[in-house]
Amino acid sequence: MISRTSAVVRWLATGATALSLIACSQGDARPKAASSKAPPKPYSRDPYASTYRAYPGVPTVVRNVTIYDGEGGRIDNGQVLFAEGKIVAVGQTVDAPTDAQVIDGTGKWVTPGIIDIHSHLGDYPTPSVQAHSDGNEATGPITADVWAEHSVWPQDPGFSRALANGGVTTLQILPGSANLMGGRSVVLKNVYARTMQAMKFPGAPYGLKMACGENPKRVYGSKGRQPSTRMGNVAVDRATWAKAQSYRRKWDKYDADGGDMPDRDIGMDTLRGVLAGEILIQNHCYRADEMAIVEDMAKEFGYKVIAFHHAVEAYKIADILKANGTCAAVWADWYGFKMESYDGIGENLAILERAGACAMIHSDDENGIQRLNQEVAKVLASGRHAGIDIAPQVAWKWLSLGPATALGIADKTGSLKPGKMADVVLWNGDPFSVYTRPERVWIDGALLYDANDPKRRPVSDFELGQPGSGDVK
Amino acid sequence: MKRAFLLLATMLASPAAAQTVAITGATVATGDGSAPIENGTVVFQNGRIVAAGAGVAVPAGAQVIDGTGKWVAPGFVAGFSDLGITDAAGVQESNDSGARTAPFNAALDVSVAINPAEVKIANERLGGVTRALIAPEASNSIFAGQGAVIDLGDDPDAVTRPRAFQFVELGEAGGRLAGGSRPAAYAMLRDALAQAEDYRRNPAAFGGREKDSLVKRGDAQALLRVLDGTTPLVVHVERASDILTVLALPREYPKLKLVLTGASEGWMVAREIAAARVPVIAAALADLPAQFESLAATESNVGRMRAAGVTVGLASTGASGGEHNLRQFAGNLVAISRVPGHSGLTWGQALAAITSGPAAALGMDGELGSLRAGRRADVVLWDGDPLELSSAPTAVWIDGRAQPMRSRQRALRDRYLVPTEGALPKAYER
């Protein structure tokens, strides 16, 4: 796991370098060439910028508590201090300022906030009426031009359930899987806001949602158009990547030499970002054999799959995933609901971990997101009964640092390391027990859920004044 | 051929079932709502529970199983499920739960389709599920058809009770199926029941063979059993107002034996449900306004209904292959008892909600769902608290017969514990 994480970090670092090069070419005035070519004008990479701001918190120290630090460490009877929105210190003892709020954590656990790498909250919000069905732009197999953030309804009641019942502090909202290239994802802090921009995780890279397998071929095959088969899926993908390479060449030349600005293509902008390493591929894929094909396709066109999502058969190819440095984001035990999920087993994540592949839990579900800790607990049990004994503190990586890494935000959140965002959950017991619930949840050091304080329980605009409004849910 | 199979199964199974088994020294959870008993004993013989609890004597000649450090509980009763009628629900060719273009509706009988060899049955059995209420899916009418109670045993005889209930959709789904509105659903319900009465009065004169007839003869026969109260009518509704409308139906049809399912706003009318003595099979953890008919959904729903005196079982949410998660749902209802403002269940009530509760909803708790004397011996030995996620069954008996602890999932797991290939392809490992 450690080496896999490093590989991913290395790859992300390459991506960041590419990003900074592009930024330079946009921002700096280039020396005027002798030719009469017009200097290049950049296009904005971030037109819907984050306006998120951390909410106020107070310096807080939690004492006498069991800590899973999210990086595989465990401290019994330890202490966590955070202030100014950041983790300050974690250890057996910490030096807390005298004005810090002190919380006695006896019998309780502290962990990093949970990060769900696969959510449709906001773009498939509840109530699940047709008017809210904003997750699949199912009008063509390639819709790399759509951005999930433009569908997100910040008032989705699902955000508060994920916070209060699930301890979820960060989540990636993806478009759906009807399409081969379904559009851009967005990473959000799990904080209610009036605008999507005010939820947007500052500095998080975009993702491109891709899908292989049954969904795209079913959706378009039933419309009598390509793709209607798995081979059609790959054919359409390859044709699109070939165009993207050409688009990238044109723009790279323009960025270097100026001249006539090439035509903008919003979808191709996204694919150019992928090829440049700035945008991360999040690939819905179930079957082992298909994941292997996608890995080859990525090599053919010079991109990288950061994570396969669902990855029901990942356990069959842990070695291939490991060799490619691709993570698997999986469910604990969903299986059998369609042909490509028929071989699901409860030990998937445990087998991946033992094989040294990068793996994590995910929900893809507005209910499952409320119990991701319990989903991991089920995996631990299945693993143990199969002879794979994984320590709980190691398994917490599947809930925080793993997804943070696959989202390119592990330098900011995902573990209780000094300097990172104070995204913290206090659990009222062992978080891998079915009898445990979140007691308090902090995001950037601000207390945004407190089980003991009805006023620290968000009520979305939609719920206000409706039957059951303000009730514990 | 089927008879030969059954005969063979009976011959093979009988000696094991006749054997008296005593599990001693375990924590015994009876499944009737009571608290677990430490250092108890469970005795079963001839497929039935003989005794369970503290101070139970081990009969002479019994096979004694040392349960020290373990827990014994009744197997879970999953409702409503599609085990045995779908191989993979999304694969239409393998799915017998709905009949979108069939001329029949209430007449549909899932018991003829149950396949005990369907792989999810063994998978879910290893998660502690021993019985399931199998419901058809409403596809071409508000009436889905007749559901069955099955066991998850490793034998060809799965059906415990065929035609155990009729399933009807009212609320939003019913409105959609009936033509676009709740009033249409109630018009369809009343008309269908009136046609059933027509059939009763004069079967020879009853049509039902016309192409556009909404009620065929078989449908009428099935609905007569509902009108007579011999077949419970399971009604899916969520909204509080819909629940009250359904509770009023017995004024028109006095013998109806109602069961509610869904009922995510049940807590708002819990006293009325209790007064009507209508049991509920509820989604345990529905807490989102998933539709406008469930705006007030909360995880406290089950606890509040139970506190008002409603008989409650937990639904397995229809997720095919997810039946083993019933214990997780039950455990969560224990957990919320510690959260201010929430209403949960005691541990004993939570176990009952996934064992005797669903059985009681169909009037079968005298037969299934607890370790009380005389009940079918569906017994699971756990390596820990059966509601806790770290626990797993170590032995399962259904009707007193020891079940094999293997499944297709276990076989896949064992094949890929080491993912890399050896000297031969994986296809040679089994």
Side-chain angles (χ1 to χ4, degrees), chain B residues 105-159:
Chain B
N105 45 71
L108 299 170
D109 172 5
V110 300
S111 67
V112 301
I114 304 294
N115 172 19
E118 187 259 293
V119 297
K120 292 199 296 303
I121 287 183
N123 291 340
E124 297 308 304
R125 181 171 69 226
L126 295 192
V129 183
T130 56
R131 301 273 162 177
L133 321 181
I134 307 303
E137 186 187 331
S139 300
N140 63 347
S141 158
I142 60 170
F143 296 104
Q146 301 164 95
V149 179
I150 68 163
D151 69 64
L152 275 66
D154 181 46
D155 60 71
D157 182 14
V159 178

Side-chain angles (χ1 to χ4, degrees), chain B residues 86-426:
Chain B
T86 65
D87 290 290
V91 177
Q92 214 183 335
E93 301 91 324
S94 85
N95 188 331
D96 278 322
S97 58
R100 200 177 312 157
T101 56
F104 303 99
N105 45 71
L108 299 170
D109 172 5
V110 300
S111 67
V112 301
I114 304 294
N115 172 19
E118 187 259 293
V119 297
K120 292 199 296 303
I121 287 183
N123 291 340
E124 297 308 304
R125 181 171 69 226
L126 295 192
V129 183
T130 56
R131 301 273 162 177
L133 321 181
I134 307 303
E137 186 187 331
S139 300
N140 63 347
S141 158
I142 60 170
F143 296 104
Q146 301 164 95
V149 179
I150 68 163
D151 69 64
L152 275 66
D154 181 46
D155 60 71
D157 182 14
V159 178
T160 311
R161 179 180 287 182
R163 299 173 297 282
F165 56 94
Q166 173 72 231
F167 196 101
V168 64
E169 288 282 354
L170 294 172
E172 278 184 18
R176 191 169 59 246
L177 288 160
S181 74
R182 284 178 172 82
Y186 283 94
M188 183 180 272
L189 175 77
R190 288 194 171 83
D191 188 59
L193 294 176
Q195 291 193 55
E197 292 288 10
D198 289 347
Y199 174 81
R200 188 205 306 272
R201 274 190 294 274
N202 190 349
F206 186 77
R209 291 193 166 95
E210 304 82 3
K211 193 165 180 293
D212 56 355
S213 157
L214 292 178
V215 179
K216 305 290 182 192
R217 299 171 75 84
D219 301 323
Q221 287 162 356
L223 291 175
L224 273 185
R225 289 193 288 274
V226 170
L227 278 170
D228 293 346
T230 48
T231 302
L233 182 68
V234 175
V235 185
H236 175 216
V237 279
E238 302 286 349
R239 200 168 74 185
S241 68
D242 286 334
I243 292 169
L244 293 180
T245 306
V246 170
L247 294 182
L249 285 174
R251 272 186 249 144
E252 293 171 73
Y253 311 101
K255 290 185 183 165
L256 277 192
K257 210 178 276 174
L258 289 174
V259 180
L260 295 175
T261 188
S264 48
E265 292 190 348
W267 65 272
M268 299 174 79
V269 289
R271 277 187 308 175
E272 290 84 347
I273 301 171
R277 297 177 184 275
V278 170
V280 179
I281 297 183
L285 302 176
D287 61 3
L288 283 164
Q291 300 292 346
F292 273 92
E293 64 182 358
S294 54
L295 293 177
T298 164
E299 291 181 16
S300 293
N301 186 39
V302 169
R304 291 172 185 169
M305 287 195 292
R306 183 71 177 74
V310 179
T311 298
V312 189
L314 301 189
S316 63
T317 69
S320 132
E323 288 80 0
H324 63 279
N325 288 318
L326 279 167
R327 66 198 190 96
Q328 185 186 0
F329 302 159
N332 274 275
L333 294 184
V334 177
I336 62 172
S337 303
R338 294 171 61 194
V339 179
H342 257 310
S343 296
L345 297 177
T346 66
W347 194 95
Q349 290 170 342
L351 180 68
I354 56 173
T355 53
S356 60
L362 294 184
M364 294 180 75
D365 52 330
E367 183 77 359
L368 303 173
S370 66
L371 301 181
R372 290 269 162 237
R375 308 306 188 271
R376 287 172 182 260
D378 296 348
V379 181
V380 181
L381 187 60
W382 293 82
D383 61 8
D385 172 353
L387 303 188
E388 186 53 280
L389 301 165
S390 54
S391 306
T394 61
V396 178
W397 292 263
I398 294 177
D399 284 325
R401 293 172 196 163
Q403 298 295 315
M405 298 301 283
R406 58 173 187 267
S407 69
R408 182 170 181 277
Q409 280 187 322
R410 290 274 163 100
L412 273 167
R413 176 197 78 181
D414 292 344
R415 176 175 276 188
Y416 284 99
L417 272 176
V418 179
T420 47
E421 280 178 0
L424 282 170
K426 286 287 184 189

